[in-house]
Amino acid sequence: MILLTGGAGFIGANFVLDWLAHSDETVINLDKLTYAGNLENLASIADDPRHIFVQGDIGDTLLTSSLLARHQPRAVLNFAAESHVDRSIHGPEDFIQTNIVGTFHLLEAVRAYWGTLAAEARRDFRFLHVSTDEVYGSLRSDEPAFSETHAYEPNSPYSASKAASDHLVRAYHHTYGLPVLTTNCSNNYGPYHFPEKLIPLMIVNALAGRPLPVYGDGQQIRDWLYVTDHCSAIRRVLAAGRPGQTYNVGGWNEKPNLDIVHTVCGLLDELRPRADGKRYSEQITTVADRPGHDRRYAIDARKVEVELGWKPAETFATGIRKTVLWYLDNQQWVSNVQSGAYRDWVARNYGERVR
Ligand code: NAD
Ligand code: TYD
């Protein structure tokens, strides 16, 4: 079996669903259930014995050590993190605690467990750390995309905390020989994305008749990847990545924020036209820029393609249409998230299943 952290969040939950669709290997899912953790994301596998949910903190060494000893996983995949840049600007402390201190404690528990394994299991064990392209900082418009050897130049408390965790993971390989893998992925989008991030926020606000707040001039560029493509990349890196290596994962899909917002508006005009006949783009408003806002991210994903044969399956056109359709079809999920009712929903419908 595998032990995964942060599997009730956006990417982690997509990964658990994707994993169980491709494999019969059991997943132990350790998640603290912060505001971003939502067990409703996993409702479709509520009765699946291959999924064991445990509520807890990656920084709780007693808990992680006992889970590792009891379940003897062949791999640990670390998705758990505080992940929202704007929240890291308003309050960096949780980012330091979970992303740096929490990852350190998890590494310590994993190192101790790994040391108890027999030679073959030690050799085959993997610790896969899920990270971000934001650790590389911001690109000028004429610079080439981030390769794995690009210098780390994080600019926000979020990216600095992720960079620190990447360095710890690297050090545990070089110092202790722990067989680690790190993926640095670009911006994801897709189902179960918490509506504080750009794409789900725009869909949800548009449908509610609220303003669509674009930071600054809206010309900041991100390299968008549909979330199931990130999941397939992680599965591929876990299966065939070389221990100690990092792999950049991206969709070759750089777009300015304002273009993204217009694309979302255009899809909604087609799929759920406004009752007053007007265009959703009329709701776009410009707001003050994010402090320290990174101008451009772009991933050079050649290494993961050449070495491991991974390529994204979705284009932006197919992925964004699926995403908008998912939000239109899952309005109850949206309203539970917005009202906070997803937390009650967990207690009512899922509580007994939480082990
Ligand atoms: P998310 O915020 O949606 O989910 C994070 C999950 O981690 C939540 O379920 C939360 O409850 C859990 N968690 C937080 N602190 C914890 C702790 N101390 N112990 C246990 N669980 C804890 O984040 P996401 O967007 O799904 O991102 C997952 C990972 O992928 C993160 O490491 C993030 O840095 C990385 N990443 C995200 C993106 C993106 O576009 N969202 C891109 C590249 C990499
Ligand atoms: P976000 O989804 O927060 O991801 P990240 O900051 O990790 O890239 O933001 C994506 C881009 O969209 C980023 O350049 C900030 C911008 N943005 C807005 O313009 N308005 C918004 O309301 C939000 C949440 C983000």
Side-chain angles (χ1 to χ4, degrees):
M1 60 176 68
I2 61 168
L3 190 152
L4 180 147
T5 73
F10 163 49
I11 303 173
N14 274 287
F15 185 86
V16 171
L17 298 174
D18 180 77
W19 180 267
L20 294 178
H22 288 91
S23 155
D24 273 334
E25 205 174 357
T26 296
V27 180
I28 318 287
N29 181 357
L30 172 66
D31 194 296
K32 188 176 175 181
L33 296 182
T34 67
Y35 80 95
N38 182 354
L39 281 178
E40 208 175 334
N41 299 350
L42 300 164
S44 64
I45 53 164
D47 294 320
D48 193 324
R50 297 171 302 164
H51 177 236
I52 300 172
F53 183 78
V54 180
Q55 183 171 5
D57 194 315
I58 57 166
D60 181 346
T61 315
L62 271 182
L63 173 64
T64 53
S65 301
S66 80
L67 288 173
L68 290 164
R70 188 170 349 130
H71 296 293
Q72 300 278 306
R74 69 167 177 98
V76 172
L77 284 72
N78 187 30
F79 290 78
E82 289 293 336
S83 69
H84 188 36
V85 174
D86 293 316
R87 283 181 191 258
S88 84
I89 294 168
H90 290 286
E93 173 128 25
D94 287 348
F95 291 73
I96 307 305
Q97 280 309 327
T98 284
N99 300 359
I100 306 178
V101 181
T103 301
F104 160 68
H105 285 302
L106 181 64
L107 281 165
E108 277 294 272
V110 169
R111 178 166 78 91
Y113 161 70
W114 178 68
T116 67
L117 298 176
E120 198 178 335
R122 263 171 79 85
R123 190 199 59 210
D124 294 344
F125 181 81
R126 296 289 182 268
F127 180 90
L128 190 151
H129 181 61
V130 179
S131 193
T132 166
D133 60 356
E134 303 193 24
V135 298
Y136 299 122
S138 187
L139 288 168
R140 289 192 312 271
S141 57
D142 59 344
E143 280 184 294
F146 301 128
S147 73
E148 287 78 0
T149 54
H150 195 284
Y152 269 41
E153 290 173 341
N155 291 321
S156 72
Y158 164 65
S159 54
S161 66
K162 290 297 289 187
S165 67
D166 293 8
H167 291 325
L168 283 169
V169 170
R170 175 190 163 89
Y172 272 64
H173 177 69
H174 284 269
T175 305
Y176 305 113
L178 190 69
V180 306
L181 298 158
T182 298
T183 54
N184 293 90
C185 187
S186 60
N187 285 59
N188 285 211
Y189 66 100
Y192 306 112
H193 206 179
F194 199 84
E196 63 181 358
K197 307 277 172 71
L198 179 72
I199 288 178
L201 184 86
M202 293 300 156
I203 298 171
V204 165
N205 277 11
L207 292 171
R210 287 193 291 261
L212 307 180
V214 172
Y215 297 165
D217 65 2
Q219 293 308 310
Q220 301 82 8
I221 291 173
R222 299 292 182 263
D223 182 352
W224 295 93
L225 183 70
Y226 192 64
V227 63
T228 52
D229 280 325
H230 189 188
C231 296
S232 71
I234 291 172
R235 278 193 283 109
R236 187 69 196 131
V237 171
L238 179 65
R242 286 180 292 137
Q245 294 290 308
T246 66
Y247 295 90
N248 284 359
V249 179
W252 301 104
N253 179 50
E254 290 183 54
K255 295 210 183 292
N257 293 337
L258 200 53
D259 285 19
I260 298 284
V261 178
H262 277 291
T263 301
V264 167
C265 289
L267 280 165
L268 288 172
D269 287 336
E270 174 197 331
L271 298 165
R272 185 68 55 84
R274 270 173 54 158
D276 61 7
K278 294 186 174 167
R279 304 234 163 243
Y280 284 100
S281 56
E282 292 189 28
Q283 291 167 233
I284 296 174
T285 52
T286 306
V287 298
D289 208 351
R290 172 187 280 173
H293 200 171
D294 283 338
R295 197 70 185 161
R296 174 176 167 238
Y297 303 141
I299 280 280
D300 177 342
R302 278 178 296 181
K303 179 175 173 182
V304 69
E305 180 177 342
V306 171
E307 211 177 277
L308 304 180
W310 175 86
K311 268 196 209 177
E314 301 289 343
T315 63
F316 188 68
T318 60
I320 194 68
R321 178 172 286 272
K322 282 187 184 177
T323 305
V324 171
L325 282 169
W326 187 87
Y327 280 86
L328 288 171
D329 289 346
N330 289 275
Q331 287 293 295
Q332 191 59 48
W333 180 93
V334 172
S335 75
N336 286 351
V337 167
Q338 289 190 313
S339 69
Y342 68 105
R343 292 177 180 273
D344 307 339
W345 187 92
V346 168
R348 268 186 292 118
N349 298 305
Y350 221 111
E352 289 165 14
R353 302 177 214 272
V354 177
R355 278 179 254 179

